[in-house]
Amino acid sequence: MMERRTRILHLVPVVTAVFLALLAFQFAAPTHAADEPAEAGFYLVSIGVGDVDLITLRAIDTIGKSQVVVCRQRTADQFAKYLEGKEILDDSLSGWRTYGKRCSDIEDPQARAACLKGRERRATLINRIRRAVNDGKSVAILAGGDPLIYGGPYRWYLEEFKDLHPRVVPGVSCFNAANAALGRDIMLGKGSHSAVLTTARDIDKFAQHHPTMVIFTMHTKFEDLVEKLKIHYPPDTPIAIVFYAGYKDKERITRGRLDTILEKTRGKDFPFEHLVYVGNFMN
Ligand SMILES: C[S@@+](CC[C@H](N)C(=O)[O-])C[C@H]1O[C@@H](n2cnc3c(N)ncnc32)[C@H](O)[C@@H]1O
């Protein structure tokens, strides 16, 4: 009798350990298979800027949980290893430039025709996304950079599908990558500890207190930009142009001062991918 009780007592720690292990497993193990979504969702997912290694783990995880991915062919090729078995919808159907516009109000016949065509293509894309969501699938829209910084090509998705409560997965903007390329705290200006993210159009409104300015150029002629800046900033203010931020092999910086930079850039063609920084944080 005594022996039996001792044996049972020996078993207590073993049983307790098994119980605790099962309990831990219950909480640690996902409640869904790895390739199934926890719940169908509609996601706007940043894939970062530049090279593919600037995507985040969270973005990869969200893509993994989505059965339908909306992106350009180029993006699909770059991120092919995360997209195997997914249904890909072509983002170039979005015609985002004319979203919310009344095509009939456009006078130029060519522009009106383009608007109508864009609307038709967009309707196809919208229908496909709606069908996928109705089938209980998760949809991920892939976006370059931070889609909430001058995110023209993406903001229409948030509007059109607001009933689906879109969730945005954050990511690396060209702004973050360019800051890293410059390697200095952009808030450490002498007169102000602030930075303004802007476009050429708004320079005059904010330049008065000489903040650091980060200018998203969007095809602005560089000469025009510099002339505008010279009106407000002292001529010896540092200026830097960061080209291809986030691309290890292509990224480069041209530095100068407002009164010298045009000599350095004369005759050079600028790619779309360049950001301009102005401010004495670079002194
Ligand atoms: C419409 S904005 C989009 C910015 C994007 N949402 C982001 O967060 O990276 C486009 C502008 O961003 C800048 N840009 C985009 N990619 C860039 C890159 N790789 N390097 C430098 N500037 C870039 C250029 O000034 C371009 O005109």
Side-chain angles (χ1 to χ4, degrees):
M1 185 68 182
M2 202 46 189
E3 223 176 74
R4 203 166 149 225
R5 193 176 300 153
T6 318
R7 241 185 285 136
I8 289 172
L9 279 177
H10 273 129
L11 279 177
V12 169
V14 177
V15 172
T16 312
V18 171
F19 174 74
L20 287 176
L22 283 173
L23 202 66
F25 181 75
Q26 165 71 20
F27 284 108
T31 52
H32 53 90
D35 56 349
E36 277 175 25
E39 85 188 77
F42 183 78
Y43 302 95
L44 180 56
V45 181
S46 168
I47 51 168
V49 75
D51 297 325
V52 292
D53 61 352
L54 286 183
I55 193 171
T56 65
L57 294 177
R58 192 180 298 181
I60 293 170
D61 186 51
T62 308
I63 293 169
K65 288 173 182 164
S66 304
Q67 291 80 16
V68 178
V69 171
V70 183
C71 65
R72 296 273 168 141
Q73 187 54 49
R74 189 167 161 268
T75 308
D77 294 341
Q78 283 176 313
F79 290 91
K81 72 171 169 178
Y82 304 121
L83 302 180
E84 259 173 50
K86 316 262 174 213
E87 183 184 346
I88 310 287
L89 301 182
D90 183 2
D91 173 60
S92 67
L93 293 176
S94 81
W96 60 273
R97 287 178 199 280
T98 55
Y99 183 76
K101 283 207 174 124
R102 281 160 55 120
C103 300
S104 54
D105 288 351
I106 300 175
E107 277 175 24
D108 176 54
Q110 260 184 339
R112 194 179 330 120
C115 179
L116 289 167
K117 187 150 184 241
R119 195 163 70 185
E120 202 181 302
R121 286 156 68 93
R122 191 164 51 246
T124 310
L125 179 60
I126 292 171
N127 285 339
R128 287 185 188 159
I129 293 174
R130 290 270 172 209
R131 206 177 311 139
V133 172
N134 290 341
D135 289 347
K137 294 176 181 168
S138 284
V139 177
I141 315 290
L142 305 193
D146 180 336
L148 304 183
I149 297 181
Y150 297 118
Y154 308 109
R155 66 174 86 97
W156 79 271
Y157 287 103
L158 301 179
E159 176 65 25
E160 178 67 31
F161 297 102
K162 59 174 176 254
D163 57 304
L164 302 178
H165 308 291
R167 275 167 279 176
V168 182
V169 177
V172 178
S173 165
C174 64
F175 166 61
N176 304 117
N179 291 346
L182 289 172
R184 299 186 79 108
D185 185 331
I186 65 162
M187 298 301 176
L188 284 189
K190 291 208 178 59
S192 93
H193 289 177
S194 308
V196 174
L197 309 192
T198 187
T199 63
R201 206 167 37 183
D202 279 353
I203 287 176
D204 297 329
K205 289 188 202 152
F206 300 108
Q208 189 189 355
H209 299 292
H210 300 171
T212 294
M213 271 207 183
V214 184
I215 302 155
F216 290 72
T217 47
M218 330 270 195
H219 300 294
T220 308
K221 236 173 116 197
F222 185 64
E223 289 76 7
D224 297 346
L225 201 69
V226 173
E227 291 313 324
K228 243 184 178 193
L229 289 165
K230 274 182 175 169
I231 299 172
H232 303 283
Y233 288 81
D236 61 351
T237 307
I239 178 167
I241 312 156
V242 183
F243 296 95
Y244 294 114
Y247 294 86
K248 272 190 223 102
D249 295 336
K250 288 201 284 186
E251 188 176 271
R252 65 196 158 81
I253 302 173
T254 301
R255 298 171 193 272
R257 309 178 342 172
L258 280 177
D259 55 356
T260 62
I261 192 73
L262 289 180
E263 284 160 34
K264 292 190 177 184
T265 57
R266 189 163 299 130
K268 301 223 165 94
D269 277 339
F270 283 23
F272 178 69
E273 294 91 345
H274 70 279
L275 267 185
V276 175
Y277 284 70
V278 187
N280 53 24
F281 79 98
M282 287 182 279
N283 270 341

